Amino acid sequence: MGRPAIKVFSEVEYLALERKSSEKHFFYNGEIYAMAGASYEHNVIEDNLRLSIGNHLKGKSCRSFGCNLRMQVPGHSFYTYPDIMVICGDPVFRTDTFDTVTNPTILVEILSEGTADYDKGLKFDLYRYFQSLQEYVLVDSRKQHVLVYSRNDNGSWTMVEYKEAADRFRLHSIDLELSLADCYTGLNLPAA
């Protein structure tokens, strides 16, 4: 007995369905996937980072967004909702409906057991196609562990790992320094 046929959707069909849906879905190569709910730890980390980044950006030309703004990798049939996105300058929209952006400067994903491999692998492979992307930050929700990927002038990427509560990391594109303690305030997670 063979595998059942998978329905393949066009980008237009996905966007029409997504605009009517009360739940969020990501889209990749014609397939639609439901996005999982987030843990308490995930929500605390997201809140901590959104407050720190948002407060830092007040009055500046960059703006942070939570997980409700959809983005698309230009030239690829991949649409998703990052946990946190920073856009510097004016947002560039995919269409004139103003609900799908294509020019993130910083993307932050909060890792869970179910998403860690995907966020470090296929998702980052696709995110690197954003010419505007300068930093990709992965924050673990199970232990104190942050990975910061930064784009170099030649287009290559450098990764730096942070594991201690006192460790500080800089988001150069917005000139913001954060500590692991800033990420994990209110949580009692083990060190990596």
Side-chain angles (χ1 to χ4, degrees):
M1 189 168 195
R3 183 176 168 204
I6 295 174
K7 167 97 171 101
V8 176
F9 295 86
S10 71
E11 292 180 42
V12 171
E13 289 172 315
Y14 160 72
L15 289 169
L17 290 168
E18 193 67 0
R19 288 175 180 134
K20 294 177 188 172
S21 178
S22 61
E23 298 175 357
K24 293 183 293 193
H25 302 83
F26 73 90
F27 177 81
Y28 181 59
N29 283 345
E31 294 185 47
I32 297 174
Y33 303 87
M35 296 185 69
S39 68
Y40 172 80
E41 291 81 6
H42 179 290
N43 281 286
V44 170
I45 293 165
E46 182 179 347
D47 188 52
N48 289 340
L49 288 171
R50 284 284 319 276
L51 286 171
S52 294
I53 294 169
N55 286 335
H56 175 74
L57 294 178
K58 278 188 179 174
K60 298 182 179 165
S61 64
C62 300
R63 184 172 198 97
S64 68
F65 300 89
C67 60
N68 288 314
L69 183 60
R70 183 176 46 248
M71 66 177 196
Q72 184 222 355
V73 177
H76 296 270
S77 63
F78 178 64
Y79 295 76
T80 193
Y81 300 82
D83 291 323
I84 299 171
M85 172 175 24
V86 174
I87 296 176
C88 292
D90 293 330
V92 176
F93 295 96
R94 181 190 176 277
T95 65
D96 61 359
T97 57
F98 304 108
D99 65 356
T100 305
V101 296
T102 62
N103 65 322
T105 303
I106 299 172
L107 293 173
V108 178
E109 296 289 2
I110 300 165
L111 305 178
S112 68
E113 188 171 342
T115 66
D117 290 341
Y118 169 60
D119 289 338
K120 292 177 185 177
L122 176 63
K123 191 181 275 187
F124 186 41
D125 289 345
L126 291 164
Y127 282 178
R128 287 192 296 249
Y129 284 101
F130 284 114
Q131 294 302 308
S132 60
L133 186 63
Q134 297 302 306
E135 284 141 334
Y136 181 47
V137 183
L138 297 171
V139 182
D140 202 309
S141 67
R142 300 157 298 168
K143 60 188 175 211
Q144 294 187 41
H145 188 216
V146 173
L147 301 173
V148 178
Y149 293 86
S150 301
R151 186 187 297 269
N152 300 310
D153 291 339
N154 66 2
S156 65
W157 290 82
T158 301
M159 186 272 291
V160 181
E161 183 174 30
Y162 302 91
K163 296 182 175 184
E164 302 296 327
D167 284 352
R168 301 191 69 76
F169 60 93
R170 179 167 290 284
L171 299 176
H172 294 280
S173 59
I174 58 171
D175 193 29
L176 173 62
E177 185 174 272
L178 294 166
S179 69
L180 261 64
D182 294 328
C183 299
Y184 295 105
T185 297
L187 297 173
N188 187 20
L189 296 179

